[in-house]
Amino acid sequence: MLRYLGDDVTGSAFRASIYRHARALAMLGVKRGSLVAQFAPNCPDALAIRYAANLLGAATMFLPAIASAERRAACIAHIQPTLLVAFAQTTHLVPEAVDARVVYVGTGARSRLDHLARVQPDLPVESCAQPDDLAVIASSGGSAGVPKASERSFATYSMMVS
């Protein structure tokens, strides 16, 4: 289904990763109405985390790699995520003074989302999402400072994807 850095990820392995991440995110308090923001590379884990959060009824946002730490902090403060996920390749993007719970994938001695997900069962997780719930926040603009946040419900985003 996916190829990343020369490795193939099968559909069943990807689905299992989504279910394990959904359980891990739920253990961290993510639920319907939450927002999971990610400073993420384009990789299978980032996609699995996004889909896992959506499965729980939570919205997701891939944060832009804004050059200024102050503007990154302002962007995070504006969207107020329940959980902020950073990867080994993106830890430098997490502002020092961030008012959000931060977890890591592939790095860090504590708060490791990947370690928590790895030990979860990969049994199906029922979707909690409702059509009018917020599903995705897309970064847009930002030429004059902090990017705008374009919000889309599950129904709207599903229509766009279809």
Side-chain angles (χ1 to χ4, degrees), residues 135-158:
V136 174
I137 300 176
S139 176
S140 60
S143 57
V146 176
K148 309 323 177 260
S150 175
E151 298 180 349
R152 297 176 178 105
S153 68
F154 283 99
T156 300
Y157 195 69
S158 294

PDB file of all heavy atoms in Angstrom, residues 135-158:
ATOM      1  N   ALA A 135     -12.710  17.661  11.249  1.00  0.00           N
ATOM      2  CA  ALA A 135     -11.848  16.540  10.865  1.00  0.00           C
ATOM      3  C   ALA A 135     -10.423  16.973  10.578  1.00  0.00           C
ATOM      4  O   ALA A 135      -9.472  16.341  11.022  1.00  0.00           O
ATOM      5  CB  ALA A 135     -12.407  15.833   9.638  1.00  0.00           C
ATOM      6  N   VAL A 136     -10.284  18.050   9.818  1.00  0.00           N
ATOM      7  CA  VAL A 136      -8.973  18.458   9.327  1.00  0.00           C
ATOM      8  C   VAL A 136      -8.852  19.974   9.387  1.00  0.00           C
ATOM      9  O   VAL A 136      -9.786  20.696   9.043  1.00  0.00           O
ATOM     10  CB  VAL A 136      -8.775  17.996   7.858  1.00  0.00           C
ATOM     11  CG1 VAL A 136      -7.480  18.524   7.279  1.00  0.00           C
ATOM     12  CG2 VAL A 136      -8.824  16.481   7.764  1.00  0.00           C
ATOM     13  N   ILE A 137      -7.706  20.419   9.830  1.00  0.00           N
ATOM     14  CA  ILE A 137      -7.346  21.829   9.713  1.00  0.00           C
ATOM     15  C   ILE A 137      -6.165  21.879   8.760  1.00  0.00           C
ATOM     16  O   ILE A 137      -5.141  21.220   8.988  1.00  0.00           O
ATOM     17  CB  ILE A 137      -6.971  22.452  11.063  1.00  0.00           C
ATOM     18  CG1 ILE A 137      -8.149  22.361  12.046  1.00  0.00           C
ATOM     19  CG2 ILE A 137      -6.531  23.903  10.878  1.00  0.00           C
ATOM     20  CD1 ILE A 137      -7.833  22.878  13.441  1.00  0.00           C
ATOM     21  N   ALA A 138      -6.318  22.629   7.686  1.00  0.00           N
ATOM     22  CA  ALA A 138      -5.250  22.766   6.701  1.00  0.00           C
ATOM     23  C   ALA A 138      -4.615  24.138   6.853  1.00  0.00           C
ATOM     24  O   ALA A 138      -5.306  25.134   7.027  1.00  0.00           O
ATOM     25  CB  ALA A 138      -5.806  22.588   5.296  1.00  0.00           C
ATOM     26  N   SER A 139      -3.309  24.164   6.796  1.00  0.00           N
ATOM     27  CA  SER A 139      -2.580  25.422   6.856  1.00  0.00           C
ATOM     28  C   SER A 139      -2.740  26.121   5.514  1.00  0.00           C
ATOM     29  O   SER A 139      -2.584  25.514   4.461  1.00  0.00           O
ATOM     30  CB  SER A 139      -1.109  25.151   7.143  1.00  0.00           C
ATOM     31  OG  SER A 139      -0.394  26.352   7.120  1.00  0.00           O
ATOM     32  N   SER A 140      -3.060  27.401   5.562  1.00  0.00           N
ATOM     33  CA  SER A 140      -3.195  28.159   4.318  1.00  0.00           C
ATOM     34  C   SER A 140      -2.671  29.566   4.538  1.00  0.00           C
ATOM     35  O   SER A 140      -2.800  30.111   5.622  1.00  0.00           O
ATOM     36  CB  SER A 140      -4.660  28.196   3.860  1.00  0.00           C
ATOM     37  OG  SER A 140      -5.464  28.815   4.842  1.00  0.00           O
ATOM     38  N   GLY A 141      -2.111  30.128   3.512  1.00  0.00           N
ATOM     39  CA  GLY A 141      -1.606  31.492   3.614  1.00  0.00           C
ATOM     40  C   GLY A 141      -0.371  31.574   4.485  1.00  0.00           C
ATOM     41  O   GLY A 141       0.467  30.690   4.494  1.00  0.00           O
ATOM     42  N   GLY A 142      -0.308  32.669   5.251  1.00  0.00           N
ATOM     43  CA  GLY A 142       0.828  32.870   6.135  1.00  0.00           C
ATOM     44  C   GLY A 142       1.876  33.808   5.569  1.00  0.00           C
ATOM     45  O   GLY A 142       2.887  34.063   6.201  1.00  0.00           O
ATOM     46  N   SER A 143       1.614  34.340   4.376  1.00  0.00           N
ATOM     47  CA  SER A 143       2.611  35.230   3.770  1.00  0.00           C
ATOM     48  C   SER A 143       2.808  36.506   4.582  1.00  0.00           C
ATOM     49  O   SER A 143       3.856  37.123   4.516  1.00  0.00           O
ATOM     50  CB  SER A 143       2.208  35.565   2.328  1.00  0.00           C
ATOM     51  OG  SER A 143       0.922  36.154   2.312  1.00  0.00           O
ATOM     52  N   ALA A 144       1.797  36.871   5.386  1.00  0.00           N
ATOM     53  CA  ALA A 144       1.908  38.078   6.205  1.00  0.00           C
ATOM     54  C   ALA A 144       2.173  37.747   7.667  1.00  0.00           C
ATOM     55  O   ALA A 144       2.030  38.583   8.533  1.00  0.00           O
ATOM     56  CB  ALA A 144       0.624  38.904   6.082  1.00  0.00           C
ATOM     57  N   GLY A 145       2.538  36.504   7.955  1.00  0.00           N
ATOM     58  CA  GLY A 145       2.797  36.128   9.343  1.00  0.00           C
ATOM     59  C   GLY A 145       2.425  34.688   9.597  1.00  0.00           C
ATOM     60  O   GLY A 145       2.904  33.785   8.944  1.00  0.00           O
ATOM     61  N   VAL A 146       1.512  34.485  10.556  1.00  0.00           N
ATOM     62  CA  VAL A 146       1.082  33.147  10.937  1.00  0.00           C
ATOM     63  C   VAL A 146       0.072  32.631   9.916  1.00  0.00           C
ATOM     64  O   VAL A 146      -0.858  33.335   9.551  1.00  0.00           O
ATOM     65  CB  VAL A 146       0.452  33.173  12.350  1.00  0.00           C
ATOM     66  CG1 VAL A 146      -0.083  31.808  12.728  1.00  0.00           C
ATOM     67  CG2 VAL A 146       1.480  33.649  13.366  1.00  0.00           C
ATOM     68  N   PRO A 147       0.248  31.381   9.438  1.00  0.00           N
ATOM     69  CA  PRO A 147      -0.707  30.825   8.480  1.00  0.00           C
ATOM     70  C   PRO A 147      -2.123  30.769   9.047  1.00  0.00           C
ATOM     71  O   PRO A 147      -2.325  30.645  10.250  1.00  0.00           O
ATOM     72  CB  PRO A 147      -0.187  29.405   8.235  1.00  0.00           C
ATOM     73  CG  PRO A 147       1.239  29.450   8.619  1.00  0.00           C
ATOM     74  CD  PRO A 147       1.332  30.456   9.725  1.00  0.00           C
ATOM     75  N   LYS A 148      -3.082  30.880   8.149  1.00  0.00           N
ATOM     76  CA  LYS A 148      -4.481  30.762   8.540  1.00  0.00           C
ATOM     77  C   LYS A 148      -4.798  29.277   8.695  1.00  0.00           C
ATOM     78  O   LYS A 148      -4.100  28.426   8.184  1.00  0.00           O
ATOM     79  CB  LYS A 148      -5.415  31.344   7.469  1.00  0.00           C
ATOM     80  CG  LYS A 148      -5.131  32.758   6.947  1.00  0.00           C
ATOM     81  CD  LYS A 148      -4.628  33.724   7.971  1.00  0.00           C
ATOM     82  CE  LYS A 148      -4.314  35.065   7.360  1.00  0.00           C
ATOM     83  NZ  LYS A 148      -2.933  35.322   7.088  1.00  0.00           N
ATOM     84  N   ALA A 149      -5.867  28.990   9.386  1.00  0.00           N
ATOM     85  CA  ALA A 149      -6.286  27.609   9.594  1.00  0.00           C
ATOM     86  C   ALA A 149      -7.624  27.403   8.887  1.00  0.00           C
ATOM     87  O   ALA A 149      -8.626  27.969   9.287  1.00  0.00           O
ATOM     88  CB  ALA A 149      -6.406  27.320  11.082  1.00  0.00           C
ATOM     89  N   SER A 150      -7.615  26.611   7.836  1.00  0.00           N
ATOM     90  CA  SER A 150      -8.817  26.317   7.073  1.00  0.00           C
ATOM     91  C   SER A 150      -9.417  25.019   7.609  1.00  0.00           C
ATOM     92  O   SER A 150      -8.792  23.958   7.516  1.00  0.00           O
ATOM     93  CB  SER A 150      -8.459  26.178   5.587  1.00  0.00           C
ATOM     94  OG  SER A 150      -9.582  25.775   4.844  1.00  0.00           O
ATOM     95  N   GLU A 151     -10.610  25.101   8.184  1.00  0.00           N
ATOM     96  CA  GLU A 151     -11.228  23.959   8.853  1.00  0.00           C
ATOM     97  C   GLU A 151     -12.196  23.225   7.927  1.00  0.00           C
ATOM     98  O   GLU A 151     -12.935  23.849   7.176  1.00  0.00           O
ATOM     99  CB  GLU A 151     -11.972  24.423  10.100  1.00  0.00           C
ATOM    100  CG  GLU A 151     -11.059  25.069  11.120  1.00  0.00           C
ATOM    101  CD  GLU A 151     -11.792  25.533  12.372  1.00  0.00           C
ATOM    102  OE1 GLU A 151     -13.043  25.539  12.376  1.00  0.00           O
ATOM    103  OE2 GLU A 151     -11.104  25.887  13.341  1.00  0.00           O
ATOM    104  N   ARG A 152     -12.194  21.873   8.066  1.00  0.00           N
ATOM    105  CA  ARG A 152     -13.090  21.038   7.263  1.00  0.00           C
ATOM    106  C   ARG A 152     -13.687  19.944   8.147  1.00  0.00           C
ATOM    107  O   ARG A 152     -12.965  19.290   8.899  1.00  0.00           O
ATOM    108  CB  ARG A 152     -12.334  20.403   6.111  1.00  0.00           C
ATOM    109  CG  ARG A 152     -11.799  21.480   5.150  1.00  0.00           C
ATOM    110  CD  ARG A 152     -10.967  20.901   4.048  1.00  0.00           C
ATOM    111  NE  ARG A 152     -10.548  21.971   3.160  1.00  0.00           N
ATOM    112  CZ  ARG A 152      -9.331  22.485   3.119  1.00  0.00           C
ATOM    113  NH1 ARG A 152      -8.395  22.013   3.910  1.00  0.00           N
ATOM    114  NH2 ARG A 152      -9.033  23.451   2.284  1.00  0.00           N
ATOM    115  N   SER A 153     -14.987  19.755   8.024  1.00  0.00           N
ATOM    116  CA  SER A 153     -15.660  18.694   8.771  1.00  0.00           C
ATOM    117  C   SER A 153     -15.386  17.348   8.094  1.00  0.00           C
ATOM    118  O   SER A 153     -14.894  17.291   6.971  1.00  0.00           O
ATOM    119  CB  SER A 153     -17.173  18.945   8.801  1.00  0.00           C
ATOM    120  OG  SER A 153     -17.719  18.783   7.491  1.00  0.00           O
ATOM    121  N   PHE A 154     -15.760  16.277   8.771  1.00  0.00           N
ATOM    122  CA  PHE A 154     -15.605  14.944   8.184  1.00  0.00           C
ATOM    123  C   PHE A 154     -16.411  14.849   6.890  1.00  0.00           C
ATOM    124  O   PHE A 154     -15.943  14.300   5.892  1.00  0.00           O
ATOM    125  CB  PHE A 154     -16.020  13.845   9.164  1.00  0.00           C
ATOM    126  CG  PHE A 154     -14.986  13.582  10.218  1.00  0.00           C
ATOM    127  CD1 PHE A 154     -15.111  14.125  11.489  1.00  0.00           C
ATOM    128  CD2 PHE A 154     -13.876  12.799   9.944  1.00  0.00           C
ATOM    129  CE1 PHE A 154     -14.145  13.881  12.469  1.00  0.00           C
ATOM    130  CE2 PHE A 154     -12.905  12.556  10.912  1.00  0.00           C
ATOM    131  CZ  PHE A 154     -13.041  13.110  12.165  1.00  0.00           C
ATOM    132  N   ALA A 155     -17.629  15.384   6.878  1.00  0.00           N
ATOM    133  CA  ALA A 155     -18.472  15.331   5.679  1.00  0.00           C
ATOM    134  C   ALA A 155     -17.840  16.105   4.534  1.00  0.00           C
ATOM    135  O   ALA A 155     -17.759  15.614   3.404  1.00  0.00           O
ATOM    136  CB  ALA A 155     -19.870  15.863   5.988  1.00  0.00           C
ATOM    137  N   THR A 156     -17.369  17.314   4.802  1.00  0.00           N
ATOM    138  CA  THR A 156     -16.758  18.147   3.766  1.00  0.00           C
ATOM    139  C   THR A 156     -15.481  17.522   3.248  1.00  0.00           C
ATOM    140  O   THR A 156     -15.262  17.449   2.035  1.00  0.00           O
ATOM    141  CB  THR A 156     -16.459  19.559   4.315  1.00  0.00           C
ATOM    142  OG1 THR A 156     -17.683  20.149   4.748  1.00  0.00           O
ATOM    143  CG2 THR A 156     -15.813  20.439   3.271  1.00  0.00           C
ATOM    144  N   TYR A 157     -14.648  17.048   4.158  1.00  0.00           N
ATOM    145  CA  TYR A 157     -13.369  16.455   3.736  1.00  0.00           C
ATOM    146  C   TYR A 157     -13.613  15.181   2.943  1.00  0.00           C
ATOM    147  O   TYR A 157     -12.948  14.926   1.935  1.00  0.00           O
ATOM    148  CB  TYR A 157     -12.467  16.191   4.942  1.00  0.00           C
ATOM    149  CG  TYR A 157     -11.038  15.921   4.531  1.00  0.00           C
ATOM    150  CD1 TYR A 157     -10.259  16.944   4.000  1.00  0.00           C
ATOM    151  CD2 TYR A 157     -10.488  14.657   4.644  1.00  0.00           C
ATOM    152  CE1 TYR A 157      -8.959  16.700   3.595  1.00  0.00           C
ATOM    153  CE2 TYR A 157      -9.189  14.418   4.237  1.00  0.00           C
ATOM    154  CZ  TYR A 157      -8.426  15.429   3.712  1.00  0.00           C
ATOM    155  OH  TYR A 157      -7.145  15.192   3.300  1.00  0.00           O
ATOM    156  N   SER A 158     -14.593  14.383   3.355  1.00  0.00           N
ATOM    157  CA  SER A 158     -14.920  13.158   2.612  1.00  0.00           C
ATOM    158  C   SER A 158     -15.378  13.479   1.204  1.00  0.00           C
ATOM    159  O   SER A 158     -15.010  12.788   0.254  1.00  0.00           O
ATOM    160  CB  SER A 158     -15.994  12.359   3.353  1.00  0.00           C
ATOM    161  OG  SER A 158     -15.501  11.888   4.573  1.00  0.00           O
TER     162      SER A 158
END
